[in-house]
Amino acid sequence: MRAARDLLGSRLPLIQAPLAGVQRSALALAVCRAGGVGSLPAALLPPEALQQELQLLSSGTDQPYNVNFFAHIPPLPDPAREARWRDRLAPYFTEYGVDPSTITAGVGRQPFNHEVADLVEVFKPPIVSFHFGLPAPDLLARVKSWGSRVLSSATTVEEAVWLQAHGADGVIAQGWEAGGHRGHFLSADLTRQAGLMALLPQVVKAVSIPVIATGGITDAASVRAALALGAGAVQVGTAFMLSNEAITPAPHRQALRQPDLHHTAVTNLMTGRPARGIVNRLMREVGPINELAPAFPLAGNALAPLRAKAEAQGSGDFSPLWAGQNFSGLKELPAADLVAALAEGFGDGIAEQGNAAV
């Protein structure tokens, strides 16, 4: 744990997972002020918004924070696959009065690149994390030249070893339980991915850099379990989605509140890449994994107007309701209170440091 705390630089070895679509800097700041590492999901932010959020973060705390980016390889356009996907969605377009010819074919989420780095370099974030591997060596070297510590997600032992060999300062071991996008990048075979209790001790044994555990961690008991399996720190996502500082959309927040809806599945429908979320109408009727869905991140283009119309009616039928498998302990409370509750899992000395921060 000491090595992980030294790496993170925070009072608590706790990272608030970057939660794209349900948070901005307010949640990250609240976590930083409470003693953890708050994270800003940057992959969906246009340049002006990213600059504004980074300014708020850098001026709002003297504690370390994390800025998260994607490191995927953009897909080549595939008009035939896109046409088949829209044909599959045609009944929903008719139901909601959507003209498919008006749907744009934008590229959506972009990976970290030099243009984004130009903007971020001004702020020199203490921690920069990546999903789907690492950026190109020249980009990674640029990030490290700022003094930023680099983290990335691994869903297998092989990915953890690869990350260490290619310059990551710490590995986030992402168990199968985790909500949101799977961070795999060496193999798309989901059968190679394991739950956190199986993955974590193997990753700890295979690498010499700090390992952060994520997936199913929502309370002090699950924090203690991760530490017992060798983690030096934990990353918590789903538990923060109901916090006061989150901007979780109303249908998503409502789904998280309802115990009878706490059925999650890994799906590629929302973006084209496997991600865990609460099962909704689209996942039930189309199947959570469907080969017609265009490659990441293009699948979401055709769903955007359906999502907008459904959410306007208070429905999450076409929304990415990202959530992990462990719903125990989900409460609507200030982020600082959640950090304090999680801190109890680290032991009295560390917990007291976190509580002092609050």
Side-chain angles (χ1 to χ4, degrees), residues 326-339:
N326 185 4
F327 284 81
S328 63
L330 292 194
K331 297 176 182 177
E332 298 187 62
L333 74 175
D337 291 351
L338 175 56
V339 171

Side-chain angles (χ1 to χ4, degrees), residues 73-303:
I73 299 174
L76 296 174
D78 189 341
R81 188 174 182 182
E82 180 70 30
R84 291 193 296 272
W85 179 229
R86 296 189 185 197
D87 286 346
R88 181 62 185 85
L89 298 176
Y92 303 118
F93 294 148
T94 300
E95 178 181 345
Y96 280 88
V98 172
D99 180 357
S101 68
T102 64
I103 299 172
T104 61
V107 294
R109 300 163 175 83
Q110 288 294 299
F112 186 68
N113 55 42
H114 281 291
E115 289 73 22
V116 174
D118 289 341
L119 188 158
V120 177
E121 185 170 5
V122 176
F123 300 93
K124 295 179 171 57
I127 302 169
V128 176
S129 66
F130 296 98
H131 217 44
F132 316 133
L134 291 170
D138 61 327
L139 270 170
L140 184 62
R142 186 174 177 186
V143 172
K144 290 202 159 194
S145 74
W146 308 335
S148 302
R149 285 90 76 187
V150 173
L151 308 177
S152 187
S153 303
T155 63
T156 64
V157 174
E158 292 78 12
E159 288 177 346
V161 171
W162 187 97
L163 290 173
Q164 176 175 265
H166 288 78
D169 299 306
V171 171
I172 302 168
Q174 186 187 33
W176 182 243
E177 307 94 328
H181 283 97
R182 307 300 304 154
H184 62 267
F185 58 94
L186 290 183
S187 171
D189 182 359
L190 297 179
T191 67
R192 298 178 62 85
Q193 300 183 23
L196 189 62
M197 290 189 68
L199 175 66
L200 180 56
Q202 295 182 73
V203 169
V204 170
K205 184 178 180 180
V207 300
S208 58
I209 55 179
V211 178
I212 298 104
T214 193
I217 301 173
T218 62
D219 54 18
S222 46
V223 169
R224 284 191 290 269
L227 298 180
L229 291 173
V234 299
Q235 178 172 282
V236 179
T238 304
F240 281 104
M241 289 185 176
L242 288 180
S243 63
N244 297 0
E245 295 84 355
I247 57 170
T248 309
H252 196 169
R253 189 176 284 268
Q254 186 60 26
L256 290 166
R257 289 188 186 117
Q258 296 178 262
D260 59 326
L261 295 183
H262 292 178
H263 171 204
T264 69
V266 172
T267 179
N268 70 335
L269 303 183
M270 305 302 171
T271 66
R273 192 177 181 103
R276 183 176 295 283
I278 298 171
V279 174
N280 60 8
R281 177 186 174 189
L282 183 68
M283 292 163 68
R284 286 192 299 270
E285 295 180 358
V286 178
I289 299 290
N290 193 299
E291 63 181 8
L292 297 179
F296 178 87
L298 303 178
N301 292 337
L303 289 176

